Each structure stands twice: as structure tokens, then as C-alpha cells.
Amino acid sequence: MNVLIVDDNAANRSLLKALFEPLGHSVLSTTNGEKALEAMRREKIDLIISDILMPVMDGFRLCMESKRDEKFKRIPFIFYTATYTDKEDEEFALSLGADRFIRKPMDPEAFLGIISEVTQQAREGSFKPKEMALNEKESLKGYSHRLAKKLDKKVKELQKELAKRIEAEERLKHVNRYLKSIIENANVWFNVLDENAQVTMWNKAAEQISGYSATEVVGRREIWEWLYPNEKYRHQIAAKVDAIIRKGEVVEDLETLIRRKDGETRIISWYSRNLTDERGSPVGSVALGRDVTRRNKAESEVKEIARRYRQLFDANADALYVLDKDGRFLDANISAERRYQYAREELLGMTARDLAAADLKDRTADRVRQSMMDGAPFEWRHQRRDGTEFPVEIAPSVMDFGGGQKAILSAVRDITERKRAEEEREQLQKQLNQAQKMESVGRLAGGVAHDYNNILSVIIGYSELALEKVGPNDPLREDLREIYIAAGRSRDITRQLLAFARKETIAPEVLDVNATAESMLKILRRLIGEDIELVWLPGKGLWPVLMDPSQIDQMLANLCVNARDAIADVGKITIETGAVAFDRAYCADHAGFAPGDFVMLAVSDDGCGMDRETLDKIFEPFFTTKDVGKGTGLGLATVYGIVKQNNGFINVYSEPGQGTTFRIYLPIHAGDIAEKRRKDAEKAPRGRGETVLVVEDEMTILALTEKLLTNLNYTVLTARTPSEALQTAKAHAGEISLLITDVIMPEMNGRELAQQVFGLYPKMRCLYMSGYTADVISHRGVIDREFRFIQKPFSYRDLAAKVREALDQE
Ligand code: ADP
Ligand code: MG
């Protein structure tokens, strides 16, 4: 059989096809009534199964058409419908002539049962097709009625659905409005950006915080330039926003600094994330911002105060640290780190005991307890990491270290300097005391010496007078001579005392210490004897000094004699000179030294040396360790006096059995260097080979004078006594141009001697010399004023000048 299926639904068509073909039927499918009629005209159809609701021509119309047509009205017509399922619809369909009315969905068994019944009847010829029961008008009316009803139903359904949808939309709108008002009025900055970072929403809080209104910013991008005027900063922010929108980054608690429209700045803390559509593609971002300016300000103020306190703590020059009650470090400043050579972290793991000097460690715990109680400052000693110890003064103060924990804040001052200064002061005080003692002793000695000098002058004067009165063979003569000699010795001592007391007249001049010392060497050698070697080590580049050259002679003589006495039999004495400069630092370390340039004159020996006790007293006048008659105790006192008079200083180094070194520092005479050069250029007037007779009882002076005059190109005759002088004068073959004689001598005075020699050499000139001033001598009537006079001790140049003067005088 050929079955025609009419259905606009492809699924229904293929379902029916699948039902019929296995049963041996051939199936023809069409999609509407018109197509079905065409097929029926083309082919022989045995059965029609049709849907009702279809486009172009529905099932009702198809049924009507086929039942009206003579050729088709016998083909069984079966409705198969899902839309028109009412009883009314079935009745209407059957009245149109439909043979069967089947409602979808129907169980295939039942469906096939109905179909096979119809086909069976058709095959057997017993099928009685239905006739259309309605006329044309009736059927059309029914049809339109059906249609209207159906449409009405559909409209109602649609209306219902529409109503539902409208309600939902309303609700959504309401929710949106509600949300919007919440967002609008929230006191949190809320803004939405689209995927181009353009502002699409900007709430009231955003307006208030930024100062820009929504109308100004919505739909614009420039807002970022306004909020972040700094270009670099703006780029950073833009990159962040881009990451949020495009990469889905979520920002939380990000703080940025914005500039308000009025130019003020605000700190905003942001939460921001992206917005996406249903498919998850980025469509923009939403940002919530809180104004945290005030909070930040408060926080940064607290931080600033803390930082400032830390700075004060660290900047303190004193080491500061905090200890708990067990002496553990709770904090320490930079000065403490530096002073103790531990990093702060290390100190925090240590206790006060670790910093205490070795011998104080065991007392530390008690000390900490004590500080907890009284908070009184105390002196202590500390130890650095390298073990070096130093004195400190600790000022503790008890404090609350937070949480009620009691702690000690200790300010520690390094008092090394102070201690040193104290010691130095003590030392200086001692020296001052010593100097004062020397001064008073000196004054006393000077006073005594002065009186003694007068007395001695009388003794000497009268013993001289007495000597003149007694004859050469008088038994009293020897006694008087002894008195005279002893008085002379006393006078020498008195002179030394006067030198010590700085009362002796001196004639300072700018001189070269090397030259002066060198001129003394021969005499010094004689003084110390053959068993002792004398080494001379002149230094180079010495500045001149301003002093009386005889003082140098005197110092050298005294020091060398002492050195000789210190050496038992054989040994060595070294005289050394050098240029030295002391700066302030050196003088700060060496008590009694003054800064400046000096000429150093040193006398060393390898003799017995001295112990501490002796060293402390050697400069005192009359201090001697030597036997009575051997030592006077005035040698070093004299040296000391000379050094002080010349603003120099003296330093002794000695150890028992090791020898002794005396170093004398004489300040250079910088001011007179030019003068000295001039004087040097102006040569000492020299002799023309004239013969000079020198009379002097002091062996050393005689030798010195002889040497000087020989150097000055004079022929020198010497005599130690007036009688010797007279003998020499008589014995001499040629001229004697000049007599240089001491004024006060045993046997006869200088004047008497001169008169006697004048008898032999009438053209001879005379030059007197004396340790006394010319004034004293002329006063005593020993010499006449017009006679030439040179005061002992004299310099080379003085002598040269005076000798020349005397010789050239008319
Ligand atoms: P005197 O030589 O008359 O004793 P000084 O004033 O010259 O007096 O010396 C004082 C003391 O200093 C000496 O008695 C001696 O004990 C000691 N003294 C001086 N120079 C030296 C020296 N070079 N070596 C050892 N002791 C010395
Ligand atoms: Mg001496």
C-alpha cells in the first residue's frame, strides 16, 4: 500500500515512515495540504495520515478537499494531531469526513492496530469511508471557529507568558534601582569602567572624594590624568587597571595618592576587579575606594614619632642601652654598637656581664640590681669585643619598657679621656709643686749666695791686702793664701748658686749649638780623662738658639763631670745634638713638653744609672750622693736653672746599672735668623799675627782663650799666674802687643801685673777680663775706667772684637 504522510514536523514524518515501511508499505511524505494534494494527483494513494496544524494548507482543509473530490473521497483519511485534541475537535474532524482521529502521542502498538484495521478493511474492500456530514458553509464556519478558538488560546498563552516576563523584568528593574541607589549613596567610592577604561559609573562618594562630578567624568578617560598628574605614576596605575580588566587581576588594599579637583591630595585604598559577560569576556572593571588619608596620616605620625625617637636614641654620642632586670639587653643604640664592636642583633642576645671588664664580671648582677633600686650614676669598666678595657661612667634610669616590664636605660660615657686628663693634671700638679719648690729654693739660694758673695768679696779683698803686706818669707803668708784659696772656692760655689737662681748676668747671643759644643770638646776630654771615650754626634740642620754660649759650656761641663763620676773605670760618654719638632699631639702625651721647634742637646753615659728616688731629687740644689768634698749637689741645679732661663726643658732617662741620658731642649731662635746671617757675614775681626800674652788662673778658660786667639791669627803666650806671666814676658824675644789678664788673681791683681809688664813692653796694650761686671771692678778700684774690659764668660766674637779694639786704640 501507498501511504501518504502529511506533517510539517520532520521528526513526526520520519517516525511514521519508520513505522510503516517495515510492514511492507511504501511511504510518501509531504509537509502540507497543498503538497499532499499534488502528490495525490500524481500517484495512487491508499491511505492518508495527516497532521492538522500546518502552514500553507492545514489538515482540516486537506480533509475537506479530498472528501469533496470524487477521485479521493474513498481513500481512508486519518488525523494524527497534537494541537487539536478536544472532543469538539474530534467531532469536527469526523464531521468533515475523516475516518479516524488519533491524538498524539499514541503508543505505536495502538496506532498500528488502528492503521492495520483500516488497511485490512481497505484491502478486503469492506472499508466504508466516511462522508462529509457538513455542507460547505457549515464546514467553513466550523473551521474558522476552530481557528479562532485556537488563535485565541494561543494569544492567551502568549499574553500569560508576556505578563510573566514583564513581571520579571519589572522585578529586575526594581532590584537594579535598589542596587543602584545603594551604590549611589554608599559612603564608599564606587566606579565602573568599560573595557576601554572609560568611566561608565561614578557614585556620590566618588564625587565627594575626588571633587569631580559624575557628569564631568562619565564617558571620559581623561579622569586618570586629572587624578594622577604625575605621568610616571599614572602609567603605573593605567597598567594596573589594564591588568584588572584584561587579565582578571584582583586588587585589594592597594593605596594610591590622588589629586582632587581642588588640588588637595587624598590617599585611597582600593578594591577592584573585572566585569565579564556571560561568556566570560572582559567588559570592564568595578572599583571600590575608601578614603584612608586621615588613617594614614595618623599612622605615619605615629611612625614619624617612633622614628624620631629612634633617631634621638641612635644619634646620641653616649652609648645607650636598655637592660631588663636580669641584665639582658633589650635595645642598644648605634654608639653602643660602635663602642663595643658588636652588632645590635648580637647585643640583644647578650647580658651586661658580657660587657663588663674581666675583674668586674662577677659583680655585674649585683650592680644591675643596685641600679634598679637607686638609679644612681657610677663608674665602671667595660670591655670591647677585642678585649680592650676602658673606664666608663654609667647613668642608669629605671623605665617602663612596655607591658609593665621594668627596665634600665643606661647612658654610658667613655671616660678614658677624662681619666687621662685627671692623671695628667695630677702629674702637672706634681711638676708644678716641684717647680715651685725649686723656685723657692732657688730664691733662697740666690739670696744667700748674694750675701755670701759680698762676704766673700771682703774675705778675698782683705786676704789679698794681707798677702800684699806680708813678705814672701813671712810664716803667715801660707795661712793667708789658704784663706784666699778657700774663699775663691766658695766664690765658685756661690757663682753656681747664682746661676741656678738665675741671678748671674748673662749675655745671650744667637749661636749654633754644634759650633759651641764642638769648641768645648777638647776641654771636656781633658775633664773626663783617658779611660772614658767621648763620642761626638752632631745633628744636621740645627736652627740657631738665643743664649749665652758660656751657659752651654757650663751645662756640658757639669753633665760630663757627672757622667764621668757615674762610670767606675772605663766607659763611654756621648754628646749628641739634633733638631726636633713637637706638635700638640706629642706634647699632650708628654707632660712638661711644649710644642715648637727645638735644638736637642743630649749627654749620655753607660755608667751606674739612678733609681727612682734619686731621679726625683737630682735637680735640687745640694742634693748629692757623693762623698763629702767630692760633690756639691749644685751641678744639675745649675743646668736646670740655665735650661729654665732659656725657656727650654730637660728630660732624664736613667735605669740603675744601665746608664743615663740627659736631654736638653732649647727653643730655636727663629726671629733672629736674619740677624744671625747678617752677623755671620760680618766676620769676626782677625789678628795680624800680633803676640798676645794671656794670664788666667782657670785652666779651662786659659785653654779656651788660647784656642780662640790662635784661631783669630794671633800668636799666643799663656801664663797661669802673674809670676809666670812676668817670666814669660821677660823670656820673650819679640814684641808683645797685648796683655789679656784676669783681674783677680792670687799673687797680684791684673792691674799690678799690667804695670810690671808695661815696664818691659811700653807700647803694649791691656785688656782685663773678669767674671764680675766692669762696674763692680772699677768700683773696687782695681782698674781704671779707660782700660779695656771683657766680661767672662765671653764669646768668640766678643773676644775678637775686644782684642782688635784694644790693639787699634790710640
Ligand atoms: P754632684 O755631682 O755634686 O753630686 P749634681 O747636681 O751634679 O751634684 O748631681 C746630683 C746627683 O745626681 C749626683 O750626686 C748623682 O747621684 C746623680 N747623678 C747626676 N748625674 C748622674 C749620672 N750621669 N749618672 C748617675 N747619677 C747621676
Ligand atoms: Mg755634679
Side-chain angles (χ1 to χ4, degrees):
M1 283 175 81
N2 284 332
V3 180
L4 175 67
I5 292 166
V6 190
D7 199 321
D8 60 340
N9 188 315
N12 286 340
R13 288 198 303 269
S14 54
L15 174 74
L16 293 173
K17 203 177 175 189
L19 266 173
F20 290 111
E21 273 178 349
L23 300 170
H25 304 298
S26 69
V27 177
L28 206 73
S29 299
T30 56
T31 55
N32 61 48
E34 227 169 66
K35 292 247 172 77
L37 286 172
E38 272 172 36
M40 283 152 74
R41 276 177 213 119
R42 244 185 3 247
E43 299 188 32
K44 183 187 170 292
I45 300 297
D46 302 311
L47 177 63
I48 302 167
I49 298 172
S50 177
D51 186 16
I52 294 176
L53 193 68
M54 286 180 296
V56 186
M57 182 190 284
D58 67 8
F60 290 137
R61 284 289 298 257
L62 176 63
C63 184
M64 278 155 60
E65 293 298 323
S66 58
K67 288 300 174 180
R68 240 193 281 150
D69 199 306
E70 276 304 312
K71 276 197 286 176
F72 305 138
K73 64 193 226 186
R74 282 176 204 289
I75 306 171
F77 196 104
I78 297 171
F79 273 119
Y80 180 59
T81 179
T83 331
Y84 297 87
T85 50
D86 300 348
K87 189 79 190 135
E88 257 179 90
D89 295 325
E90 189 180 358
E91 274 167 17
F92 179 67
L94 294 177
S95 67
L96 284 179
D99 299 287
R100 294 288 192 276
F101 189 88
I102 298 170
R103 286 179 185 85
K104 283 188 217 172
M106 182 177 262
D107 164 44
E109 293 289 308
F111 185 72
L112 282 174
I114 292 165
I115 297 299
S116 60
E117 185 198 333
V118 172
T119 50
Q120 185 71 29
Q121 288 172 4
R123 214 177 282 136
E124 287 167 0
S126 63
F127 178 73
K128 278 218 113 175
K130 274 255 185 68
E131 300 249 340
M132 188 156 53
L134 301 170
N135 61 30
E136 184 91 351
K137 207 177 159 196
E138 280 170 338
S139 65
L140 271 176
K141 203 179 139 200
Y143 173 63
S144 57
H145 174 70
R146 279 283 82 73
L147 208 61
K149 209 177 112 193
K150 272 296 140 197
L151 272 174
D152 189 46
K153 201 175 152 195
K154 196 81 192 166
V155 163
K156 271 190 189 135
E157 267 173 28
L158 279 172
Q159 274 175 341
K160 230 165 144 190
E161 209 173 297
L162 203 64
K164 252 195 236 161
R165 227 181 261 174
I166 286 169
E167 198 196 347
E169 241 162 58
E170 268 308 310
R171 237 194 346 254
L172 197 67
K173 257 192 210 156
H174 182 71
V175 169
N176 274 351
R177 258 203 308 278
Y178 179 64
L179 279 176
K180 232 179 154 178
S181 93
I182 289 176
I183 289 168
E184 234 352 275
N185 298 305
N187 58 358
V188 170
W189 173 317
F190 184 93
N191 74 260
V192 177
L193 304 181
D194 68 9
E195 73 265 37
N196 298 316
Q198 243 177 37
V199 179
T200 58
M201 177 174 180
W202 191 259
N203 75 344
K204 280 205 192 102
E207 287 184 328
Q208 270 163 16
I209 298 171
S210 70
Y212 293 103
S213 70
T215 43
E216 275 176 289
V217 301
V218 169
R220 312 188 71 148
R221 295 198 61 180
E222 297 91 320
I223 183 68
W224 306 112
E225 285 171 36
W226 303 340
L227 293 178
Y228 303 109
N230 178 311
E231 201 180 340
K232 211 175 145 206
Y233 192 38
R234 182 164 68 245
H235 284 324
Q236 285 175 7
I237 304 280
K240 201 80 199 161
V241 170
D242 197 63
I244 292 166
I245 296 176
R246 267 164 247 297
K247 297 197 189 118
E249 202 172 284
V250 176
V251 158
E252 251 175 296
D253 298 332
L254 173 76
E255 286 181 7
T256 71
L257 186 78
I258 64 153
R259 186 152 78 174
R260 281 170 51 90
K261 191 177 183 180
D262 61 14
E264 274 184 36
T265 54
R266 289 276 189 281
I267 299 164
I268 312 294
S269 172
W270 296 103
Y271 168 82
S272 181
R273 59 161 305 141
N274 67 344
L275 292 171
T276 53
D277 61 12
E278 313 90 275
R279 291 192 312 277
S281 312
V283 294
S285 70
V286 52
L288 286 94
R290 264 176 314 128
D291 184 346
V292 294
T293 315
R294 201 163 301 166
R295 188 194 75 195
N296 273 35
K297 209 176 149 204
E299 265 176 19
S300 64
E301 265 167 20
V302 168
K303 266 188 218 156
E304 176 59 22
I305 289 168
R307 194 183 65 83
R308 232 178 285 154
Y309 270 106
R310 184 80 223 172
Q311 226 172 29
L312 282 177
F313 188 61
D314 274 341
N316 209 307
D318 285 342
L320 296 178
Y321 53 69
V322 180
L323 297 175
D324 70 4
K325 64 175 188 353
D326 299 317
R328 277 188 291 263
F329 286 95
L330 298 174
D331 201 350
N333 73 347
I334 291 174
S335 299
E337 290 186 314
R338 268 199 218 116
R339 183 166 316 153
Y340 300 108
Q341 301 162 338
Y342 290 105
R344 188 167 165 271
E345 293 67 37
E346 291 178 285
L347 282 171
L348 295 190
M350 291 164 58
T351 68
R353 191 177 203 277
D354 298 318
L355 293 192
D359 56 320
L360 292 176
K361 283 194 191 301
D362 290 341
R363 287 170 50 198
T364 307
D366 281 343
R367 194 53 256 190
V368 170
R369 262 195 295 282
Q370 179 79 18
S371 289
M372 265 293 186
M373 266 151 44
D374 62 8
F378 59 96
E379 286 191 9
W380 201 243
R381 263 175 309 106
H382 272 166
Q383 202 175 36
R384 292 185 192 85
R385 177 185 222 121
D386 62 16
T388 51
E389 293 183 357
F390 56 100
V392 293
E393 185 184 65
I394 303 181
S397 48
V398 180
M399 59 176 268
D400 189 344
F401 197 66
Q405 188 187 2
K406 283 267 172 284
I408 308 170
L409 170 67
S410 294
V412 187
R413 183 157 294 178
D414 184 341
I415 55 169
T416 310
E417 271 308 303
R418 196 173 81 193
K419 286 266 172 205
R420 210 179 60 83
E422 272 169 19
E423 270 166 31
E424 205 166 273
R425 205 163 39 236
E426 252 169 55
Q427 188 68 27
L428 283 176
Q429 189 58 51
K430 249 198 226 161
Q431 283 180 347
L432 183 67
N433 291 347
Q434 175 73 2
Q436 276 170 345
K437 188 167 81 181
M438 300 287 272
E439 187 63 40
S440 53
V441 171
R443 211 172 296 136
L444 183 70
V448 170
H450 193 77
D451 291 344
Y452 265 90
N453 228 14
N454 290 339
I455 297 164
L456 285 170
S457 303
V458 176
I459 296 171
I460 289 167
Y462 280 100
S463 49
E464 279 175 315
L465 284 174
L467 274 170
E468 276 173 47
K469 282 177 189 156
V470 298
N473 298 319
D474 197 307
L476 270 178
R477 190 175 175 86
E478 264 318 294
D479 299 347
L480 284 170
R481 260 192 68 81
E482 283 304 320
I483 292 170
Y484 179 80
I485 289 166
R489 239 188 254 129
S490 293
R491 182 200 53 201
D492 288 346
I493 291 170
T494 316
R495 274 188 62 188
Q496 278 183 308
L497 268 175
L498 280 170
F500 167 71
R502 285 166 244 165
K503 284 213 167 133
E504 201 176 48
T505 332
I506 53 154
E509 61 179 88
V510 176
L511 57 84
D512 173 11
V513 174
N514 277 350
T516 312
E518 198 152 352
S519 69
M520 271 291 285
L521 289 178
K522 209 166 166 187
I523 298 162
L524 293 174
R525 280 214 176 85
R526 218 177 287 165
L527 213 58
I528 62 178
E530 285 163 12
D531 290 339
I532 298 169
E533 186 192 352
L534 182 69
V535 182
W536 166 233
L537 300 172
K540 285 206 176 67
L542 261 54
W543 294 97
V545 298
L546 179 73
M547 70 187 291
D548 187 330
S550 72
Q551 290 185 318
I552 290 190
D553 297 347
Q554 204 174 346
M555 290 195 297
L556 281 175
N558 287 350
L559 292 173
C560 286
V561 168
N562 281 349
R564 178 200 64 195
D565 292 347
I567 294 167
D569 33 28
V570 286
K572 189 164 88 178
I573 298 174
T574 309
I575 302 174
E576 202 178 338
T577 61
V580 289
F582 298 129
D583 55 19
R584 287 192 182 282
Y586 182 90
C587 297
D589 288 345
H590 295 75
F593 281 62
D597 289 306
F598 296 88
V599 170
M600 188 270 300
L601 174 66
V603 177
S604 321
D605 66 68
D606 54 1
C608 62
M610 283 169 274
D611 56 18
R612 191 71 253 166
E613 228 174 295
T614 310
L615 263 178
D616 284 344
K617 296 193 188 118
I618 51 172
F619 294 117
E620 290 176 18
F622 306 113
F623 171 79
T624 179
T625 55
K626 294 166 193 172
D627 293 339
V628 185
K630 247 203 136 189
T632 60
L634 281 174
L636 289 180
T638 307
V639 171
Y640 184 87
I642 292 170
V643 169
K644 285 294 145 198
Q645 189 173 40
N646 288 286
N647 301 315
F649 39 96
I650 184 163
N651 169 256
V652 199
Y653 179 74
S654 184
E655 296 229 11
Q658 299 297 311
T660 304
T661 298
F662 283 88
R663 280 196 187 83
I664 290 163
Y665 298 92
L666 301 166
I668 65 156
H669 184 64
D672 277 1
I673 292 169
E675 157 105 354
K676 168 142 172 79
R677 294 227 175 87
R678 194 179 53 74
K679 258 189 141 183
D680 275 345
E682 185 188 289
K683 281 193 154 236
R686 294 177 58 78
R688 304 181 194 110
E690 294 99 327
T691 301
V692 181
L693 172 60
V694 184
V695 190
E696 167 66 64
D697 57 344
E698 268 291 324
M699 186 51 214
T700 54
I701 307 274
L702 183 62
L704 179 68
T705 314
E706 179 186 12
K707 189 187 169 201
L708 297 180
L709 291 172
T710 312
N711 277 352
L712 285 166
N713 192 31
Y714 293 102
T715 308
V716 185
L717 304 172
T718 60
R720 294 187 61 177
T721 60
S723 51
E724 197 186 322
L726 285 171
Q727 270 174 31
T728 308
K730 274 178 203 146
H732 185 63
E735 245 334 275
I736 291 181
S737 309
L738 181 68
L739 170 72
I740 301 177
T741 178
D742 198 354
V743 180
I744 293 152
M745 287 177 292
E747 297 172 8
M748 62 183 88
N749 66 33
R751 190 182 170 202
E752 289 164 340
L753 175 66
Q755 275 162 358
Q756 293 199 25
V757 184
F758 273 137
L760 299 167
Y761 301 94
K763 276 196 265 168
M764 186 193 74
R765 315 285 164 155
C766 182
L767 174 65
Y768 295 106
M769 57 182 176
S770 173
Y772 297 99
T773 60
D775 213 44
V776 173
I777 289 168
S778 61
H779 194 70
R780 285 174 64 191
V782 181
I783 54 167
D784 300 325
R785 273 199 179 273
E786 59 268 26
F787 282 102
R788 297 283 141 192
F789 176 77
I790 182 165
Q791 189 179 340
K792 283 194 285 187
F794 45 77
S795 73
Y796 179 60
R797 214 171 309 274
D798 283 344
L799 183 66
K802 292 277 185 192
V803 168
R804 201 62 258 162
E805 221 177 274
L807 283 169
D808 295 345
Q809 136 193 289
E810 284 313 307

